[in-house]
Amino acid sequence: MDEKEVLTRFKNGHLDRAQVAALLTGAGTGTGPVVLTLPEPSAAAAEAEAAMAVAEPVSGGRRDAAPAGAVAVVGMAGRYPGAPDLAAFWRYARDGHDTASAPPPGRPGEELGHYLERVQDFDPEFFGIDAHEAALMDPQERLFLETAWEALEDAGCTGGRLDALTAADGTPRSVGVFTGAGPGDYALLAARTWSRERPRPMPRGGQWSLPNRLSSLLGLTGPSQSVDTAESSVLVALHLALAALHRGECAAALVGGARLLLHPSGRYPGAGEGVGALLLKPLARALADGDGIHCLVRGSAVGHTAPDPTAPGPGRGSRSAGVRTERTRRTGGPAPAAAPAGRVLREALRAAGVGGEDGVVREGAEAVRGLVGEAGAATGVAALTRAALQLGHRAPAPGAGRAPGAGAREGEGHGPRRICVGVRGAGGVDAEVVLEEYLPEEYLPEATESPLVPERAAVGPELFLLSAPTPAHLAATARRFVDLLGGTGPVPPLDRLARGLRTGRAAMDCRFAAVVGDSGELLRALEEFVRDGAPCADLRGGGADPLGLGNVPETDGYLAALWQAGHLHQLRGLWLSGLDVDWAALEPSGGGAAGAALPASAFLRVPLWLGGEEGPA
């Protein structure tokens, strides 16, 4: 293979440093074959298997590679009743809070439920969508767009690192989108005002638009599909996403769902709403990219259990079926109605490499009932998010026999904690997903610094970049960083914060940049920008990259030389002028601000509803 392919495979985590050095110098690798060839039907599947390398235990209990088949949750976001973000959702989960309330002002009815507020609000300008078109979009779709973007930002995966997620044939942005959604209430509301005499544009009624629009807006090239198995939809979607990752159909997968109660027919006491999303990557790739990891997905399974096992059906009353039932009863096996559900659980544990249920906490829809109620398609994503937050914080939330204030970590000293999330849909589709606590000390991440691009010295000033689609969005996002830096909570180290923004955020038309020596200097620069609105580069009218450096092949080497020499002011000026800079290539050893919680980009939402009406609150 040529030098370009060697470096591409190294960047994707398929080669280690020793193999790269040997290949570039012409020596034998001495560490085994470079390409792992398996009897799979496609080259894409072989690439996926190589990315999910088998782990070999080494001394001290550490591992020198990712466990076979392990997948990492590298990004999460959500919006749930009373909780506009996952920080609030975790506080509610940790404290055992019940979010039941009367409908928000403006919504008809008096049913006690679990509601989101201001579901009519959306920021079409951020996504480049015409306001009239956005008003016809199902609010479930609009909320999912915003939440999916926040999950990608949480993973540091909206800029060049998103482009770097390539398929086996080199196609960029190889990200699959797998979703579950609630009923199309918005189309039902629109149908009430439509008539043959006064026809009007109607919202799309299909759930296919939930994943397809996100894929279209961001240019994602992996599978894009919606699932409807009621409450278990998102868990089934995750099961499909894992299969797509293993087959090499995508390099990463975004899984999520949404449910809103917009039509009066869908509201009843205890019903609920919510939206959430998780970004998945093979663990080997996540380690190579330096991603922050919330938890691991170790296995999943899906099956069906008939809601009424006694219901009549062709062949269900046959003699052979009766004989099997009687034999099962005599041998002490599970009851016929429980057998399929138990099989799904056993299959999920087997896929996770877990010998039994010992040491595995089981959680389901009941664990999130106080948080989201009976939330349909949002039930599964809420349960997954709650479990992932417990594992990430290393603190169990109340439920399943635990009370508020329970011990910080169960099973200390007995390996990683595991939570099996299981949900059954109204039609009988069972889905089980096994999540595992990520313990960084068990792994030795592959070094990702390029052998041909020396790193800039870690000591010294930092280049802080921020961008947004409009000056108003930029100021609002800058205000969030002012709150972070000037608040009382933990602040990420300046180098990780700045690196996470450079490599993990998309470069948009309105830009702010500052070279600062410490967090205090950055806070002062941001406060001045928020107060005065300058300096700010606005490229919306054109004129980006006036010297045309982006079209010159020597520019990459020029930028690398500036970076290595620490000429940050010159790099700042070039970026503000609109030159696209591949920061991940300049500083490959720190893919994102791993473990650093950075504020998401600000949305400037406005009410959008059918016919220009205000809509529900």
Side-chain angles (χ1 to χ4, degrees), residues 524-613:
R524 291 189 293 273
L526 287 170
E527 288 175 333
E528 180 182 355
F529 169 69
V530 169
R531 183 180 63 250
D532 301 334
C536 167
D538 189 346
L539 306 173
R540 291 176 297 170
D545 187 17
L547 299 179
L549 294 177
N551 300 320
V552 179
E554 292 82 6
T555 297
D556 288 342
Y558 174 57
L559 294 174
L562 290 175
W563 176 259
Q564 294 159 26
H567 295 311
L568 301 185
H569 290 280
Q570 287 74 14
L571 286 167
R572 170 184 176 274
L574 290 170
W575 184 77
L576 289 174
S577 75
L579 177 65
D580 288 331
V581 180
D582 187 355
W583 300 104
L586 295 182
E587 43 185 331
S589 66
L598 303 181
S601 294
F603 295 121
L604 302 180
R605 300 181 175 99
V606 295
L608 295 168
W609 205 252
L610 296 166
E613 303 168 6

Side-chain angles (χ1 to χ4, degrees), residues 117-118 152 163 171 175 217 274 289 305-306 333 371 385 397 451 558 566 591 593 597:
E117 296 184 355
R118 304 295 304 177
L152 289 168
D163 297 328
T171 302
V175 178
L217 284 174
D289 288 349
T305 300
L371 296 169
T385 301
Y558 174 57

Side-chain angles (χ1 to χ4, degrees), residues 188-585:
L188 290 178
L189 294 176
R192 297 190 305 186
T193 61
W194 189 93
S195 67
R196 191 177 300 276
E197 294 73 24
R198 298 185 62 184
R200 59 185 298 174
M202 294 286 291
R204 295 168 174 170
Q207 297 180 358
W208 51 266
S209 188
L210 193 75
N212 292 175
R213 187 183 292 271
L214 177 68
S215 296
S216 297
L217 284 174
L218 302 187
L220 308 181
T221 56
S224 186
Q225 63 186 95
S226 184
V227 175
D228 184 7
T229 60
E231 291 81 0
S232 60
S233 294
V234 174
L235 270 66
V236 175
L238 187 145
H239 182 71
L240 297 175
L242 295 179
L245 288 170
H246 283 284
R247 289 193 299 265
E249 295 175 355
C250 52
L254 190 77
V255 177
R259 198 254 188 133
L260 295 177
L261 303 168
L262 302 179
H263 195 273
S265 63
R267 289 200 290 270
Y268 53 88
E273 303 177 322
V275 56
L278 302 91
L279 184 65
L280 313 179
K281 290 172 73 174
L283 177 57
R285 176 65 186 265
L287 292 173
D289 288 349
D291 290 324
I293 297 175
H294 295 282
C295 68
L296 306 180
V297 182
R298 294 307 306 270
S300 65
V302 171
H304 184 269
T305 300
D308 182 4
T310 64
R316 295 195 66 170
S318 67
R319 179 180 179 279
S320 60
V323 170
R324 285 194 298 271
T325 300
E326 177 62 22
R327 183 184 301 123
T328 299
R329 185 189 64 77
R330 289 199 311 267
T331 58
R343 177 183 61 81
V344 174
L345 173 61
R346 291 192 299 273
E347 284 298 309
L349 294 173
R350 183 192 62 78
V354 179
E357 296 184 45
D358 292 343
V360 179
V361 175
R362 293 202 63 201
E363 295 189 352
E366 68 283 350
V368 293
R369 191 145 292 150
L371 296 169
V372 299
E374 297 179 12
T379 300
V381 71
L384 285 170
T385 301
R386 180 182 185 272
L389 288 170
Q390 291 179 74
L391 296 174
H393 287 279
R394 302 189 180 187
R402 295 188 296 262
R409 181 167 181 240
E410 297 176 344
E412 190 74 42
H414 299 285
R417 292 177 60 239
R418 297 186 180 97
I419 298 178
C420 185
V421 179
V423 176
R424 177 179 297 178
V429 176
D430 284 296
E432 302 274 352
V433 175
V434 180
L435 302 182
E436 181 179 282
E437 179 182 13
Y438 172 65
L439 301 177
E441 61 271 18
E442 287 199 2
Y443 302 95
L444 294 174
E446 294 285 345
T448 54
E449 64 270 17
S450 169
L452 303 181
V453 183
E455 283 194 82
R456 181 177 61 89
V459 179
E462 287 291 340
L463 177 57
F464 176 91
L465 308 178
L466 212 56
S467 70
T470 70
H473 284 89
L474 185 60
T477 301
R479 195 171 295 111
R480 291 188 169 188
F481 280 87
V482 168
D483 294 339
L484 171 71
L485 296 169
T488 58
V491 177
L494 179 61
D495 59 334
R496 285 169 54 195
L497 185 153
R499 184 173 65 240
L501 290 173
R502 287 192 302 264
T503 64
R505 297 285 175 99
M508 304 186 204
D509 285 341
C510 298
R511 305 182 177 190
F512 168 85
V515 177
V516 295
D518 54 47
S519 297
E521 185 179 357
L522 174 59
L523 175 60
R524 291 189 293 273
L526 287 170
E527 288 175 333
E528 180 182 355
F529 169 69
V530 169
R531 183 180 63 250
D532 301 334
C536 167
D538 189 346
L539 306 173
R540 291 176 297 170
D545 187 17
L547 299 179
L549 294 177
N551 300 320
V552 179
E554 292 82 6
T555 297
D556 288 342
Y558 174 57
L559 294 174
L562 290 175
W563 176 259
Q564 294 159 26
H567 295 311
L568 301 185
H569 290 280
Q570 287 74 14
L571 286 167
R572 170 184 176 274
L574 290 170
W575 184 77
L576 289 174
S577 75
L579 177 65
D580 288 331
V581 180
D582 187 355
W583 300 104

Side-chain angles (χ1 to χ4, degrees), residues 131-138 142 186 201-204 609-610:
H132 295 289
E133 179 185 358
L136 289 175
M137 291 171 55
D138 190 324
R142 303 193 306 222
Y186 201 55
M202 294 286 291
R204 295 168 174 170
W609 205 252
L610 296 166

Side-chain angles (χ1 to χ4, degrees), residues 71-122:
V71 169
V73 177
V74 298
M76 291 198 307
R79 182 176 166 188
Y80 297 100
D85 53 40
L86 292 191
F89 183 69
W90 169 242
R91 288 195 297 271
Y92 282 176
R94 181 193 60 200
D95 298 339
H97 185 74
D98 192 313
T99 64
S101 68
R107 290 218 208 180
E110 299 177 354
E111 300 88 354
L112 196 68
H114 304 256
Y115 301 97
L116 299 181
E117 296 184 355
R118 304 295 304 177
V119 297
Q120 75 272 38
D121 292 351
F122 179 61

